[in-house]
Amino acid sequence: MEKEDDSFGQGLKTPQELVGKLVDLLTVEELDTDLYRGPRLPGGVGRVFGGQVIAQALVAANLSVDEDLIAHSLHAYFMRPGNEDFPIIYRIERDRDGRSFSTRRIIALQKGQPILNMAANFQRPEDGLSHQFAMPDVPPPEDLQSEAEYWREHAADIPEAFRKRVLRQRSIELRPTERRHPTKPEKSAPASATWFRTVAPLNGDRRLHQAVLAYASDMTLLGTSTLVHGINWMSHPGLQMASLDHSLWLHEDFRADEWLLYATDSPWTGHARGFNRGQIFTQDGKLVASVAQEGLMRLRD
């Protein structure tokens, strides 16, 4: 079998190796007090995936707070595209430490320039009033085909310029609840739902599972705003899209190696921007996270 590039370097890898590489990618190195270095993606080419920067920033911020403090929200602005050729430096600012909450500001830097500015808030667990929205009624993941299997079966439909990128191995499995043609998308309601989990068991504590979810929360979300317009990045190569900001609220405990449903919608697009929202549920219907993101959405000839 011919070897293909995967998202973590050259050569085919087992699911366990892929998840191990993801954990390595999200493991930051302490350089000094409140100064960390995040590794670059092995074999990465071009622009850094935004979810990687968010997840590494969260991991770095976690290292600056007490172990009993749990991240419950983060708000990030992407200022410049990251470059896969270089690691990322994370500088932590300890804005506040209170009895219940702590706030950290994280600046991600490459070549001396900020590429992301993020604020993260942490809370000591406590009880309180509770309610949640119900999970959408969608097919269970066991009844759905994985995105990777679909792409392999329809490789001939993928433009050659995108084929290598689309067919590479990934550490996170996606199972969309609706299937849309890759190069001939039709206009549809600006809403989508996709099951996801790591392709192998994920060892580690709650903080690692939060980091993996933060990484995955940048998947499938941005494209939701294109559905109503009947375009995507393969059907319209002139479509320029990039995340401008990203907010994540972590509500409940979960495991990122068990099925999670990412239900997204897009209430608005305009002025070369698209606004998207997401809710993440466990398979038994528990709402564990909410997401909001605005992205650049520029259609060029």
Side-chain angles (χ1 to χ4, degrees):
M1 183 176 182
E2 183 179 346
K3 287 189 175 183
E4 60 185 341
D5 285 347
D6 60 58
S7 57
F8 293 98
Q10 295 284 334
L12 296 175
K13 293 179 173 59
T14 66
Q16 291 77 15
E17 288 174 326
L18 287 169
V19 171
K21 291 292 185 182
L22 176 60
V23 173
D24 290 343
L25 182 67
L26 302 185
T27 301
V28 300
E29 174 191 2
E30 184 176 12
L31 302 177
D32 203 338
T33 302
D34 294 337
L35 192 66
Y36 301 89
R37 178 167 54 206
R40 61 183 294 271
L41 179 69
V45 178
R47 190 171 65 186
V48 177
F49 173 53
Q52 173 190 328
V53 188
I54 290 170
Q56 288 181 343
L58 176 59
V59 171
N62 266 317
L63 295 174
S64 73
V65 299
D66 294 340
E67 290 186 1
D68 62 336
L69 285 163
I70 305 299
H72 72 87
S73 69
L74 59 85
H75 306 277
Y77 279 94
F78 295 96
M79 303 165 69
R80 294 177 177 85
N83 190 326
E84 290 281 16
D85 291 335
F86 306 100
I88 303 172
I89 303 299
Y90 296 92
R91 189 175 76 237
I92 308 297
E93 299 291 341
R94 303 187 180 218
D95 288 344
R96 180 177 184 271
D97 282 311
R99 287 181 294 180
S100 299
F101 293 91
S102 288
T103 303
R104 295 292 183 265
R105 189 157 31 96
I106 308 98
I107 301 96
L109 302 143
Q110 274 193 330
K111 308 296 285 183
Q113 291 190 315
I115 64 172
L116 174 134
N117 194 344
M118 188 174 100
N121 215 38
F122 301 80
Q123 180 189 20
R124 287 185 171 82
E126 58 182 281
D127 295 329
L129 300 173
S130 63
H131 84 280
Q132 68 158 73
F133 279 7
M135 184 173 71
D137 184 13
V138 297
E142 294 82 8
D143 294 347
L144 299 169
Q145 185 183 38
S146 75
E147 187 175 73
E149 291 171 346
Y150 176 83
W151 286 127
R152 285 195 294 268
E153 289 180 5
H154 296 83
D157 295 333
I158 306 171
E160 187 174 354
F162 305 121
R163 194 171 299 153
K164 193 173 187 180
R165 170 183 171 186
V166 170
L167 294 178
R168 66 186 181 181
Q169 290 182 289
R170 299 182 185 274
S171 58
I172 294 177
E173 179 181 0
L174 303 175
R175 294 194 181 187
T177 60
E178 295 180 352
R179 186 60 66 189
R180 297 177 173 88
H181 195 281
T183 58
K184 300 176 182 178
E186 298 180 356
K187 293 182 179 181
S188 63
S192 182
T194 301
W195 293 99
F196 72 93
R197 68 176 179 183
T198 57
V199 295
L202 183 67
N203 297 322
D205 60 12
R206 180 176 185 172
R207 289 179 168 185
L208 176 60
H209 288 264
Q210 285 188 334
V212 172
L213 183 141
Y215 178 90
S217 69
D218 198 31
M219 297 177 174
T220 77
L221 183 60
L222 188 59
T224 309
S225 57
T226 68
L227 298 176
V228 70
H229 303 284
I231 60 175
N232 64 30
W233 57 276
M234 275 199 285
S235 68
H236 288 71
L239 178 63
Q240 181 185 4
M241 299 194 74
S243 302
L244 296 174
D245 58 38
H246 190 98
S247 294
L248 170 65
W249 294 265
L250 297 156
H251 308 312
E252 302 285 356
D253 202 4
F254 59 88
R255 293 192 61 86
D257 54 3
E258 296 178 353
W259 286 116
L260 297 168
L261 180 71
Y262 200 176
T264 66
D265 65 24
S266 177
W268 174 89
T269 60
H271 308 292
R273 304 193 312 275
F275 176 64
N276 306 279
R277 304 179 301 190
Q279 293 180 310
I280 300 177
F281 298 86
T282 60
Q283 195 168 1
D284 61 2
K286 182 171 64 174
L287 179 62
V288 298
S290 298
V291 191
Q293 183 185 81
E294 191 172 52
L296 179 68
M297 188 178 173
R298 187 177 286 150
L299 190 58
R300 300 182 181 277
D301 294 335

